[in-house]
Amino acid sequence: MAVVVAVGMVSPPGLSLATVVRRKLFTPAERGCGKVAWLLGAAGVSEGADPLALADPLRVIPASMAGGAVTGVLTMTFGATMAVPRGGVFAADQLGEPLLFAATIAVGALTTAALTIVLKSLRRTAPAKSTTGVATTSTREKPLAVG
């Protein structure tokens, strides 16, 4: 259960961190969602990352998956345990190895934030301009009259 809880807590704080570190990559609405996602992630509500993921799924979802994978591997490696299936920090009394559990979440959140920033920083280049020097003609079609 520790892996389930830890992985559910990774994406919201990771994306929140990304909105703080590289503000220019996010819209004002996304930055506002990032402010709320900290609290939702701490409570174990992974849906705090949904607005950011829906805004840019091709960049945010892979970054969140990588952060969750890192957290899952570290949680299992360190042997953290959890007696309940949800709760986040509110179920801290049910944790075995709480410091290692917190460390795995921090590493996963940093991974998510770093990959989100890298993927959002990638820009498409503008299409290359024609260098042949040949003029192209465009044909205009007459608009159809209705009625």
Side-chain angles (χ1 to χ4, degrees):
M1 290 288 35
V3 173
V4 172
V5 174
V7 169
M9 293 175 67
V10 168
S11 292
L15 295 172
S16 291
L17 181 62
T19 63
V20 170
V21 172
R22 293 291 301 269
R23 294 179 53 86
K24 292 181 181 180
L25 297 175
F26 298 92
T27 65
E30 290 172 332
R31 289 193 299 263
C33 291
K35 291 177 185 176
V36 176
W38 288 101
L39 179 61
L40 293 171
V45 180
S46 60
E47 288 81 1
D50 287 355
L52 294 162
L54 290 172
D56 193 2
L58 295 177
R59 292 180 179 94
V60 172
I61 292 173
S64 296
M65 289 171 54
V70 168
T71 298
V73 167
L74 290 175
T75 302
M76 292 178 78
T77 300
F78 294 149
T81 60
M82 182 76 156
V84 294
R86 292 277 176 223
V89 296
F90 301 111
D93 61 331
Q94 302 294 319
L95 278 171
E97 303 294 336
L99 293 178
L100 292 176
F101 182 81
T104 62
I105 293 170
V107 171
L110 289 172
T111 302
T112 299
L115 284 175
T116 300
I117 289 169
V118 167
L119 291 174
K120 281 186 155 289
S121 295
L122 298 176
R123 301 258 189 245
R124 289 187 186 170
T125 58
K129 293 183 179 178
S130 176
T131 57
T132 60
V134 177
T136 59
T137 59
S138 65
T139 58
R140 288 189 150 178
E141 295 181 15
K142 290 172 81 176
L144 297 175
V146 179

